[in-house]
Structure formats: structure tokens, C-alpha cells
């Protein structure tokens, strides 16, 4: 009989692909629900049903991973499975696990993975695009009908998300609702983290490149 570790690995290998497709369905359904307010009520109800059903699949996957890992839910489990917990609470970020899918495929075919620097850059780029699009959708949903709102169109929301993620913050469009400001705070933190990761990785790569060329002493 396989131990829990091998059973968990098998489950991850088999479930990552279908769950990634479900995450794209979730994101598409949510985008259609937010961006097409003129859709008949039956259409919105259908989209909300799709959103709920896909989220239920993510919840089932989380519970299965918890059981197969042999642990109990708590701060220790959350700390060691932070990404899985985040994408369960914020399903719009589920496509971020595409990086893990790439690693699973590479292991299955015994192919070399990208270098650490390549993975950091790829992950940060994907995360920035996904966070920007998801944040723009969420803020647009909260702000478009709010009294005194400056974010009235999805274009305004995308522009605001770009300003926020890059920490520029012109202030020409800003959220006025409590929910919109919470989303803004989250995007600010994520933007700082992504910029730090990319800058640190690129600096480390440059240092190693110069060290290999003899311009810097290695190991310092």
C-alpha cells in the first residue's frame, strides 16, 4: 500500500490539469458576470452557479490534500500550504498554480526545469498580469455604481490596477468604497512583493554573471 506522500503526489499530478481548466472557467464566468451587467437575470444566475460549482471543486481539492498530507487544519498547515489556502479564499488567483503544473509536467517527462531566475521572472510576470486583471474586475464591481466614484468604466479600473501594482499611484482614479480600498491595499502589498522578487532575482543573476566573467570575486 502506498504511503500518504505518494498518494498525495499522485493526486496532485492527476488533479492539477483539470483544476487549472476549472480556474479558467471560474475566471471567465466571473469576468462575464461583472463586465456584462445587461445580461438577462437567468444568464447571471447561470454564471453564479458556475462560479459556485467551480469553487466547490477547489474546496474539495483542498480537503483531499489536507487528508492525504496526514495533517490537521490549523496555522501550521496554512503556513506550509500558503498558496493552496490563498487560492481557495481568493479563487481568482487559482491560475497562479500554472507554475506548479509546469513543474509537474517537467518532472513527468524528466526534462530540466527553468533556472531559479527564469522561474522567478515567469512567476512574477504571470502573477502581475493575473493580479492586475482580477483586481481590476473586483474593484470595478465594487466601484462602478458607488456615489462619488472615479472608477466608472473597466478601462478606468485597469488603469488604476496598473498604477497600484507598479506602486506609481497617480491618484487620478481611486476607490471610494471600503471593499475597494481593501482590494487596493492587497494589490499594493502584492506589487511591492513582486517588484522585490524580480529586482532581487535580477540583481543576483547579474552578480553571478559578472563573477563568472572575473569582474567580481566569486563567493562574495
Amino acid at each position: 500500500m502506498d504511503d500518504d506522500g505518494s498518494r498525495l503526489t499522485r493526486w496532485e499530478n492527476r488533479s492539477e490539469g483539470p483544476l487549472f481548466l476549472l480556474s479558467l472557467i471560474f475566471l471567465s464566468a466571473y469576468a462575464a458576470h461583472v463586465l456584462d451587467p445587461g445580461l438577462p437575470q437567468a444568464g447571471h444566475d447561470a454564471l453564479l452557479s458556475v462560479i459556485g460549482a467551480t469553487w466547490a471543486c477547489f474546496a474539495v481539492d483542498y480537503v483531499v490534500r489536507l487528508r492525504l498530507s496526514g495533517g490537521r487544519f490549523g496555522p501550521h498547515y496554512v503556513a506550509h500550504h500558503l498558496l493552496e489556502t490563498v487560492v481557495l479564499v481568493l479563487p481568482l488567483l487559482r491560475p497562479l498554480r500554472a507554475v506548479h503544473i509546469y513543474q509537474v509536467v517537467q518532472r513527468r517527462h524528466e526534462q530540466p526545469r527553468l533556472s531559479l531566475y527564469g522561474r522567478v521572472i515567469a512567476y512574477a510576470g504571470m502573477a502581475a498580469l493575473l493580479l492586475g486583471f482580477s483586481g481590476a474586475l473586483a474593484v470595478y464591481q465594487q466601484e462602478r455604481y458607488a456615489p462619488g466614484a472615479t472608477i466608472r468604466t473597466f478601462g478606468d479600473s485597469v488603469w488604476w490596477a496598473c498604477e497600484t501594482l507598479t506602486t506609481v499611484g497617480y491618484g487620478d482614479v481611486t476607490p471610494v468604497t471600503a471593499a475597494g480600498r481593501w482590494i487596493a491595499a492587497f494589490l499594493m502589498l502584492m506589487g511591492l512583493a513582486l517588484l522585490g522578487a524580480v529586482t532581487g532575482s535580477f540583481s543576483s543573476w547579474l552578480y553571478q554573471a559578472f563573477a563568472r566573467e572575473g569582474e567580481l570575486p566569486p563567493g562574495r
Side-chain angles (χ1 to χ4, degrees), residues 11-196:
W11 170 263
E12 290 177 343
N13 290 342
R14 292 175 179 175
S15 64
E16 284 295 348
L19 287 171
F20 178 70
L21 293 177
L22 284 176
S23 71
L24 296 181
I25 293 173
F26 181 98
L27 185 59
S28 300
Y30 180 71
H33 173 64
V34 172
L35 296 178
D36 192 359
L39 197 67
Q41 186 59 43
H44 283 291
D45 291 341
L47 290 172
L48 290 173
S49 297
V50 171
I51 291 170
T54 50
W55 185 87
C57 292
F58 301 150
V60 169
D61 172 67
Y62 189 85
V63 172
V64 170
R65 290 172 188 266
L66 174 62
R67 294 293 299 273
L68 292 179
S69 68
R72 292 193 303 177
F73 183 77
H76 179 77
Y77 181 84
V78 171
H80 285 79
H81 300 82
L82 187 59
L83 180 57
E84 288 87 349
T85 305
V86 168
V87 298
L88 176 65
V89 178
L90 302 172
L92 287 173
L93 303 183
R94 181 82 199 191
L96 284 178
R97 288 192 61 84
V99 174
H100 183 69
I101 293 176
Y102 170 80
Q103 293 174 346
V104 168
V105 172
Q106 294 297 89
R107 286 199 305 266
R108 186 177 299 172
H109 295 282
E110 298 182 351
Q111 295 176 352
R113 296 186 299 173
L114 285 173
S115 67
L116 174 61
Y117 308 119
R119 277 180 284 162
V120 169
I121 298 297
Y123 188 82
M126 183 185 301
L129 288 174
L130 183 59
L131 283 168
F133 181 66
S134 301
L137 281 174
V139 165
Y140 177 55
Q141 183 182 27
Q142 299 296 325
E143 296 288 317
R144 56 185 168 183
Y145 301 129
T150 57
I151 300 175
R152 292 293 188 181
T153 68
F154 185 61
D156 292 337
S157 188
V158 171
W159 172 246
W160 167 84
C162 292
E163 290 180 351
T164 304
L165 274 175
T166 56
T167 68
V168 174
Y170 288 120
D172 51 346
V173 286
T174 56
V176 297
T177 64
R181 288 173 176 173
W182 277 108
I183 296 168
F186 177 75
L187 281 185
M188 290 174 195
L189 291 174
M190 293 299 100
L192 288 172
L194 289 172
L195 286 174

